[in-house]
Amino acid sequence: PAPPIARREKKPLHYEAIFRSACTLLLDVASSEHSFLTSFFGDADSFDHVFGKSIFFAMENLEQHLVTSWDAVGCLLLVHVNTAQRDAMAARPVPLLANFFARVQVLVWSRFKAIMEAHVQSVSAFMPSGKAPETAPHYVARRYAELVASLRSLKVASVEPMLGSILRVLWTEVEKLLSERLARQHPTLKHQAALLINNYDLVVHTLAERGARGEESTHFEQLLDQVKTVFVEEQLLADNGKMISFVKQAEPLLVPGAPPEDAAKVDKGAMEHLTREFYDKWKAGIEAIHRDVVQSFSNFKLGMDILKQVLTQLLLYYTRFLDLVKQAFPHGPPFAQYILSIPTLMNEIKHFSRNF
């Protein structure tokens, strides 16, 4: 058994290891005694009298431990151990032990639910300070990811549906905390998106690294993709908002087949101004985007991936803008010398994004 070995090697033991050792010993001794009583006396009527106090003591010890325990992982591990013991006992006709393990399952799962409900209530009641938090991952997201990764890693099939239901409630509260109470302390959508990206990415990568993918992973991956799109658009609007607005307003007026009066509504003066402005500031603008994006994300790889998305989207908007210039000036614009070529822009983008 584990306790004597631990004493000899002077190693501390968690309660779950002691419980497993005690239950294994109880199962082996009780099964042997039950078999002996049946063979020797022809029945096992006295078995409950012989082992009743031992089982009562084991149950009492477990109850005393659970009353003071706030260890959700430990409780789920006890469920896992108990399930294994029940499976081992399945071939042994010992009704008293069957009742014992069934009672253990009820007690431990009830305590686990109470602990998880306390976690949910704690997250729900958490109110951040009035100061806007940094966009770096919040400690609540880190603790949530570590807890879920540990619970999912145990893979307790007997309670999987119930565990999934509890974890869905927990992730809902964590999502509300991040998106409604923490992110909204920032005044701009860009900073709100940066905070959410950092936190969602932390959850996704923690679960993936621990081999604990589940419903939570899929949910937060979807949220991460959505908020990345928001950040990319907000980052470009901050530096190239005028050109983006012009593209979105002018494209419906210059679509093939549009009436001539629509094309006349396009402000060619504004088109020339935007062309000159982009030509004068494009390189400094890309440098500013690079600096801002990298500083917004604590994970360098994440920052570089988002930088690629921002620069790719910039290239797409600029390409759409040049298509509008060509449609507005079929024979070439008078400000052609101020048009930056697509290859030149792409080369600069590759310089800032090595793996582009």
Side-chain angles (χ1 to χ4, degrees), residues 5 161 175 196 280:
I5 295 174
E175 183 184 342
L196 294 176
D280 293 336

Side-chain angles (χ1 to χ4, degrees), residues 137-138 140-146 148-149 171 174 178 196-210 212-213 216-217 219-221 224:
H138 195 271
V140 171
R142 189 178 300 279
R143 291 178 183 178
Y144 164 76
E146 294 287 352
V148 173
W171 94 43
V174 171
L178 295 174
L196 294 176
I197 289 171
N198 278 319
N199 283 279
Y200 293 161
D201 178 73
L202 171 69
V203 173
V204 168
H205 277 82
T206 299
L207 296 177
E209 289 171 0
R210 302 294 178 83
R213 287 182 54 81
E216 302 80 19
S217 299
H219 179 73
F220 281 99
E221 284 170 0
L224 181 59

Side-chain angles (χ1 to χ4, degrees), residues 88-276:
M89 191 205 64
R92 309 181 192 188
V94 187
L96 185 61
L97 284 184
N99 293 335
F100 167 74
F101 288 121
R103 179 62 178 160
V104 167
Q105 188 82 356
V106 172
L107 281 176
V108 177
W109 182 253
S110 296
R111 185 58 187 169
F112 174 79
K113 283 181 62 180
I115 294 171
M116 293 304 294
E117 287 170 1
H119 281 311
V120 171
Q121 292 171 4
S122 175
V123 175
S124 177
F126 181 86
M127 294 301 296
S129 62
K131 181 181 178 181
E134 296 181 357
T135 57
H138 195 271
Y139 70 88
V140 171
R142 189 178 300 279
R143 291 178 183 178
Y144 164 76
E146 294 287 352
L147 174 61
V148 173
S150 298
L151 296 177
R152 284 295 188 189
S153 296
L154 292 176
K155 295 181 172 64
V156 187
S158 62
V159 295
E160 178 60 33
M162 295 181 289
L163 177 62
S165 178
I166 291 172
L167 293 181
R168 280 191 289 274
V169 175
L170 182 59
W171 94 43
T172 299
E173 291 301 328
V174 171
E175 183 184 342
K176 287 181 180 178
L177 170 62
L178 295 174
S179 62
E180 296 180 7
R181 301 201 291 281
L182 289 174
R184 290 182 183 177
Q185 288 187 296
H186 287 280
T188 65
L189 282 176
K190 186 177 79 170
H191 287 93
Q192 292 177 16
L195 181 143
L196 294 176
I197 289 171
N198 278 319
N199 283 279
Y200 293 161
D201 178 73
L202 171 69
V203 173
V204 168
H205 277 82
T206 299
L207 296 177
E209 289 171 0
R210 302 294 178 83
R213 287 182 54 81
E215 290 180 280
E216 302 80 19
S217 299
T218 303
H219 179 73
F220 281 99
E221 284 170 0
Q222 293 173 348
L223 292 177
L224 181 59
D225 290 340
Q226 293 170 9
V227 78
K228 279 182 178 179
T229 301
V230 173
F231 179 86
V232 168
E233 288 297 320
E234 291 299 318
Q235 179 66 54
L236 290 176
L237 284 173
D239 301 305
N240 298 275
K242 293 180 181 179
M243 183 179 71
I244 293 172
S245 297
F246 182 87
V247 168
K248 291 180 177 180
Q249 293 172 5
E251 278 183 334
L253 302 176
L254 292 174
V255 293
E261 54 269 21
D262 283 352
K265 296 177 183 178
V266 175
D267 189 343
K268 295 183 179 180
M271 183 179 287
E272 179 177 357
H273 173 75
L274 290 171
T275 303
R276 290 172 176 266

Side-chain angles (χ1 to χ4, degrees), residues 302-338:
L302 172 66
M304 293 306 295
D305 288 342
I306 293 178
L307 177 64
K308 292 178 187 179
Q309 294 183 36
V310 173
L311 296 180
T312 299
Q313 191 65 19
L314 173 63
L315 180 62
L316 292 175
Y317 274 125
Y318 184 66
T319 301
R320 289 163 62 182
F321 177 75
L322 291 187
D323 288 341
L324 293 175
V325 172
K326 293 177 182 178
Q327 294 175 41
F329 298 95
H331 303 293
F335 48 87
Q337 68 272 28
Y338 297 106

Side-chain angles (χ1 to χ4, degrees), residues 45-101:
D45 294 341
S46 61
F47 178 82
D48 290 2
H49 178 73
V50 173
F51 275 90
K53 290 185 178 180
S54 298
I55 291 176
F56 175 80
F57 174 78
M59 186 64 69
E60 185 180 42
N61 178 269
L62 175 63
E63 289 175 346
Q64 291 174 352
H65 169 73
L66 292 177
V67 165
T68 58
S69 174
W70 290 97
D71 182 5
V73 177
C75 285
L76 194 61
L77 187 55
L78 284 175
V79 172
H80 184 65
V81 170
N82 189 63
T83 300
Q85 297 288 358
R86 293 176 74 178
D87 292 342
M89 191 205 64
R92 309 181 192 188
V94 187
L96 185 61
L97 284 184
N99 293 335
F100 167 74
F101 288 121

